[in-house]
Amino acid sequence: MKSIRQQVSFVLSLLAMISVFYSVGKLGLFLATPITRQERQKDAGFPSEPAAIRATLFPLFHNVIWIALFVLQHSGLRAPIVKRFWKAIGLDLAERSLYNIASSYSLLLLLKNWKTAPNQYRLWFFDVESNEALWWFLMASHVLAWIVVYGGSLMVDLPELIGLKQVYYDVNDLAPPMSYKSRDLQDYYRRCRHPSFVGLSVVLWFTNGMSLERCLLAVIWTLYMYFAWNTTRVDLEYHRQQLERKRAELLRVNK
């Protein structure tokens, strides 16, 4: 019979899975939705009057708060003191699930509270309504980027990344799933668990109408990804060794 700890962790892992897919889906729609010609007509040039400048800067400062909230919790919840807290209250099994739930809801709060300036200024605009090829290129780029992100998530063990695998292994009296991975892979996962820097950069920057608010989000998240996920020489060597092993295995299979 499952313990209360396992039951609570199982519910939290399901909630984490639902929250992650829902919040990422909302983010995908938010970033991929093109700017229409009608919205473009409401835009204005860069403000010069003090009142217009304040009206433009207020949404930027407002959005920075929510972006910072997401970044801080996304990094802060990985701290050892937080992990010790979950262990102290008996929720260490659901640590990964709680991390994903917090990230998902902070992302949803960001999207819900996102503000745009009344007179929008755009760094660039391309009319996709009159150019079907450009519209398809934009949509295909986002779809392909998310496929790469999802594929990368599967490669880094998506069930374990969300928190489902930890509960399954514990219920079946197995060691934590990370303990079955090689030491090199464990070290790599401690430094980087996020898939595809390029894929996420594409969905952030590929838009037909780049507003100041959207540019702010793209700049902060791109810099955050670069510094937080920056691979080391050891990581590159590990990838090289794994690639050579895969090639050797394929050669043996094809013989």
Short mmCIF file of all heavy atoms in Angstrom, two decimals, residues 17 21-22 32 39-40 48 56 61 67 73 78 96 111 114 116 122 131-132 154 160 171 190 210 216 241 254:
data_model
loop_
_atom_site.label_atom_id
_atom_site.label_comp_id
_atom_site.label_asym_id
_atom_site.label_seq_id
_atom_site.Cartn_x
_atom_site.Cartn_y
_atom_site.Cartn_z
N MET A 17 3.13 17.81 -14.34
CA MET A 17 3.07 17.48 -15.76
C MET A 17 2.03 18.33 -16.48
O MET A 17 2.30 18.91 -17.54
CB MET A 17 2.76 16.00 -15.95
CG MET A 17 2.71 15.55 -17.41
SD MET A 17 2.35 13.79 -17.60
CE MET A 17 0.67 13.73 -16.96
N PHE A 21 2.97 21.40 -19.34
CA PHE A 21 2.48 21.39 -20.71
C PHE A 21 1.52 22.55 -20.99
O PHE A 21 1.54 23.14 -22.07
CB PHE A 21 1.80 20.05 -21.02
CG PHE A 21 2.77 18.94 -21.31
CD1 PHE A 21 3.13 18.04 -20.33
CD2 PHE A 21 3.34 18.82 -22.57
CE1 PHE A 21 4.04 17.02 -20.60
CE2 PHE A 21 4.25 17.80 -22.85
CZ PHE A 21 4.59 16.90 -21.86
N TYR A 22 0.71 22.89 -19.99
CA TYR A 22 -0.24 23.99 -20.18
C TYR A 22 0.49 25.33 -20.26
O TYR A 22 0.23 26.14 -21.17
CB TYR A 22 -1.24 24.02 -19.02
CG TYR A 22 -2.24 25.15 -19.12
CD1 TYR A 22 -3.28 25.11 -20.04
CD2 TYR A 22 -2.14 26.26 -18.28
CE1 TYR A 22 -4.20 26.14 -20.14
CE2 TYR A 22 -3.05 27.30 -18.36
CZ TYR A 22 -4.08 27.23 -19.30
OH TYR A 22 -4.99 28.28 -19.39
N ALA A 32 4.27 33.05 -30.59
CA ALA A 32 4.12 32.75 -32.02
C ALA A 32 3.04 33.59 -32.69
O ALA A 32 3.04 33.71 -33.92
CB ALA A 32 3.81 31.27 -32.21
N GLU A 39 -3.27 45.86 -35.80
CA GLU A 39 -2.51 46.22 -34.61
C GLU A 39 -1.38 47.18 -34.96
O GLU A 39 -1.05 48.09 -34.19
CB GLU A 39 -1.94 44.96 -33.96
CG GLU A 39 -2.98 44.05 -33.34
CD GLU A 39 -2.37 42.78 -32.80
OE1 GLU A 39 -1.87 41.98 -33.62
OE2 GLU A 39 -2.37 42.57 -31.57
N ARG A 40 -0.79 46.97 -36.12
CA ARG A 40 0.30 47.82 -36.57
C ARG A 40 -0.16 49.27 -36.74
O ARG A 40 0.60 50.22 -36.47
CB ARG A 40 0.87 47.29 -37.89
CG ARG A 40 1.88 48.19 -38.59
CD ARG A 40 3.11 48.42 -37.75
NE ARG A 40 4.13 49.16 -38.47
CZ ARG A 40 5.23 49.64 -37.92
NH1 ARG A 40 5.47 49.47 -36.64
NH2 ARG A 40 6.12 50.30 -38.65
N SER A 48 8.73 61.18 -27.69
CA SER A 48 9.64 62.29 -27.39
C SER A 48 9.12 63.15 -26.25
O SER A 48 9.91 63.76 -25.52
CB SER A 48 9.85 63.16 -28.64
OG SER A 48 8.59 63.64 -29.12
N THR A 56 5.35 54.77 -22.04
CA THR A 56 6.07 53.67 -22.69
C THR A 56 6.92 52.89 -21.69
O THR A 56 7.02 51.67 -21.78
CB THR A 56 6.97 54.22 -23.81
OG1 THR A 56 6.16 54.91 -24.78
CG2 THR A 56 7.73 53.10 -24.50
N PHE A 61 8.89 48.52 -16.97
CA PHE A 61 9.22 48.27 -15.57
C PHE A 61 8.28 47.24 -14.95
O PHE A 61 8.69 46.39 -14.16
CB PHE A 61 9.19 49.57 -14.77
CG PHE A 61 10.31 50.51 -15.09
CD1 PHE A 61 10.07 51.81 -15.51
CD2 PHE A 61 11.64 50.10 -14.98
CE1 PHE A 61 11.10 52.68 -15.81
CE2 PHE A 61 12.68 50.95 -15.27
CZ PHE A 61 12.41 52.25 -15.69
N ILE A 67 9.24 39.19 -15.05
CA ILE A 67 10.35 38.43 -15.64
C ILE A 67 11.37 38.08 -14.56
O ILE A 67 11.87 36.95 -14.51
CB ILE A 67 11.02 39.25 -16.77
CG1 ILE A 67 10.03 39.51 -17.91
CG2 ILE A 67 12.25 38.51 -17.30
CD1 ILE A 67 10.57 40.46 -18.98
N GLN A 73 12.95 32.70 -9.08
CA GLN A 73 12.45 31.44 -8.53
C GLN A 73 13.01 30.25 -9.29
O GLN A 73 13.25 29.19 -8.72
CB GLN A 73 10.92 31.42 -8.52
CG GLN A 73 10.23 31.40 -9.85
CD GLN A 73 10.18 30.01 -10.48
OE1 GLN A 73 10.10 29.01 -9.80
NE2 GLN A 73 10.24 29.98 -11.80
N ARG A 78 16.60 25.88 -6.89
CA ARG A 78 17.61 24.84 -7.05
C ARG A 78 18.65 24.88 -5.93
O ARG A 78 19.53 24.02 -5.87
CB ARG A 78 18.31 25.01 -8.40
CG ARG A 78 17.42 24.83 -9.60
CD ARG A 78 18.08 25.29 -10.87
NE ARG A 78 19.37 24.66 -11.08
CZ ARG A 78 20.26 25.05 -11.99
NH1 ARG A 78 20.01 26.11 -12.76
NH2 ARG A 78 21.40 24.42 -12.13
N ARG A 96 11.34 17.72 -7.49
CA ARG A 96 11.34 18.11 -8.91
C ARG A 96 9.96 18.57 -9.35
O ARG A 96 9.82 19.52 -10.12
CB ARG A 96 11.80 16.92 -9.75
CG ARG A 96 12.16 17.27 -11.18
CD ARG A 96 13.45 18.04 -11.24
NE ARG A 96 13.51 18.87 -12.43
CZ ARG A 96 14.51 19.67 -12.74
NH1 ARG A 96 15.54 19.75 -11.93
NH2 ARG A 96 14.49 20.41 -13.83
N LEU A 111 2.57 35.84 -18.04
CA LEU A 111 1.75 36.00 -19.23
C LEU A 111 0.44 36.72 -18.92
O LEU A 111 -0.05 37.55 -19.71
CB LEU A 111 1.46 34.64 -19.86
CG LEU A 111 2.69 33.85 -20.34
CD1 LEU A 111 2.29 32.48 -20.84
CD2 LEU A 111 3.42 34.63 -21.43
N TRP A 114 1.13 40.53 -18.25
CA TRP A 114 1.93 41.23 -19.25
C TRP A 114 1.24 42.49 -19.72
O TRP A 114 0.05 42.48 -20.03
CB TRP A 114 2.19 40.30 -20.43
CG TRP A 114 3.20 40.83 -21.40
CD1 TRP A 114 2.96 41.46 -22.57
CD2 TRP A 114 4.62 40.76 -21.27
NE1 TRP A 114 4.13 41.79 -23.19
CE2 TRP A 114 5.18 41.38 -22.41
CE3 TRP A 114 5.48 40.25 -20.30
CZ2 TRP A 114 6.55 41.49 -22.60
CZ3 TRP A 114 6.84 40.35 -20.49
CH2 TRP A 114 7.36 40.97 -21.63
N THR A 116 1.33 46.05 -22.27
CA THR A 116 1.88 46.69 -23.47
C THR A 116 1.58 48.18 -23.42
O THR A 116 0.58 48.61 -22.84
CB THR A 116 1.26 46.09 -24.75
OG1 THR A 116 -0.17 46.24 -24.70
CG2 THR A 116 1.60 44.61 -24.87
N ARG A 122 7.71 49.62 -32.35
CA ARG A 122 8.27 48.34 -32.75
C ARG A 122 9.63 48.54 -33.42
O ARG A 122 9.81 49.43 -34.23
CB ARG A 122 7.32 47.60 -33.69
CG ARG A 122 5.98 47.34 -33.06
CD ARG A 122 5.12 46.38 -33.85
NE ARG A 122 3.80 46.32 -33.26
CZ ARG A 122 3.46 45.59 -32.21
NH1 ARG A 122 4.38 44.82 -31.64
NH2 ARG A 122 2.24 45.60 -31.72
N ASN A 131 1.97 38.56 -47.22
CA ASN A 131 3.08 37.72 -47.68
C ASN A 131 2.89 36.32 -47.07
O ASN A 131 3.32 36.05 -45.96
CB ASN A 131 4.42 38.32 -47.27
CG ASN A 131 5.59 37.64 -47.94
OD1 ASN A 131 5.54 36.45 -48.26
ND2 ASN A 131 6.67 38.38 -48.15
N GLU A 132 2.24 35.45 -47.82
CA GLU A 132 1.93 34.11 -47.31
C GLU A 132 3.19 33.30 -47.02
O GLU A 132 3.24 32.56 -46.04
CB GLU A 132 1.05 33.37 -48.32
CG GLU A 132 0.53 32.04 -47.80
CD GLU A 132 -0.43 31.38 -48.77
OE1 GLU A 132 -0.82 32.05 -49.75
OE2 GLU A 132 -0.80 30.22 -48.54
N LEU A 154 12.98 14.98 -24.18
CA LEU A 154 12.94 13.51 -24.14
C LEU A 154 14.34 12.93 -23.96
O LEU A 154 14.52 11.93 -23.24
CB LEU A 154 12.31 12.97 -25.43
CG LEU A 154 10.82 13.26 -25.64
CD1 LEU A 154 10.37 12.74 -27.00
CD2 LEU A 154 9.98 12.62 -24.53
N GLU A 160 11.75 12.00 -15.69
CA GLU A 160 12.54 12.35 -14.51
C GLU A 160 12.63 13.85 -14.33
O GLU A 160 12.62 14.37 -13.21
CB GLU A 160 13.95 11.75 -14.65
CG GLU A 160 14.78 11.77 -13.36
CD GLU A 160 15.53 13.06 -13.17
OE1 GLU A 160 15.80 13.76 -14.16
OE2 GLU A 160 15.85 13.39 -12.01
N VAL A 171 7.86 4.00 -5.38
CA VAL A 171 6.75 3.07 -5.14
C VAL A 171 7.20 1.62 -5.36
O VAL A 171 6.77 0.71 -4.65
CB VAL A 171 5.55 3.41 -6.05
CG1 VAL A 171 4.49 2.31 -6.00
CG2 VAL A 171 4.93 4.74 -5.63
N ARG A 190 23.67 18.10 -13.56
CA ARG A 190 23.73 19.12 -12.49
C ARG A 190 24.02 20.50 -13.06
O ARG A 190 23.59 21.51 -12.51
CB ARG A 190 24.81 18.74 -11.47
CG ARG A 190 24.46 17.54 -10.62
CD ARG A 190 25.46 17.38 -9.48
NE ARG A 190 25.23 16.13 -8.76
CZ ARG A 190 25.93 15.01 -8.96
NH1 ARG A 190 26.93 15.03 -9.84
NH2 ARG A 190 25.66 13.91 -8.30
N MET A 210 8.53 43.18 -33.54
CA MET A 210 9.27 43.20 -32.28
C MET A 210 9.02 44.50 -31.52
O MET A 210 9.53 45.56 -31.88
CB MET A 210 10.76 43.02 -32.55
CG MET A 210 11.63 43.06 -31.29
SD MET A 210 11.27 41.73 -30.12
CE MET A 210 12.18 40.36 -30.86
N LEU A 216 12.57 43.22 -24.60
CA LEU A 216 13.06 43.13 -23.23
C LEU A 216 13.02 41.68 -22.75
O LEU A 216 13.98 41.19 -22.16
CB LEU A 216 12.20 44.02 -22.32
CG LEU A 216 12.54 43.98 -20.83
CD1 LEU A 216 13.83 44.71 -20.57
CD2 LEU A 216 11.40 44.59 -20.02
N GLN A 241 32.37 12.17 -26.77
CA GLN A 241 32.52 10.75 -26.47
C GLN A 241 31.24 9.97 -26.74
O GLN A 241 31.27 8.86 -27.29
CB GLN A 241 32.95 10.57 -25.01
CG GLN A 241 34.34 11.10 -24.70
CD GLN A 241 34.65 11.02 -23.23
OE1 GLN A 241 33.82 10.61 -22.41
NE2 GLN A 241 35.87 11.44 -22.86
N ASN A 254 24.92 -2.12 -38.48
CA ASN A 254 24.79 -2.15 -39.94
C ASN A 254 25.69 -3.19 -40.62
O ASN A 254 25.56 -3.43 -41.81
CB ASN A 254 25.11 -0.76 -40.51
CG ASN A 254 24.07 0.27 -40.11
OD1 ASN A 254 22.89 -0.08 -39.94
ND2 ASN A 254 24.46 1.52 -39.96
#
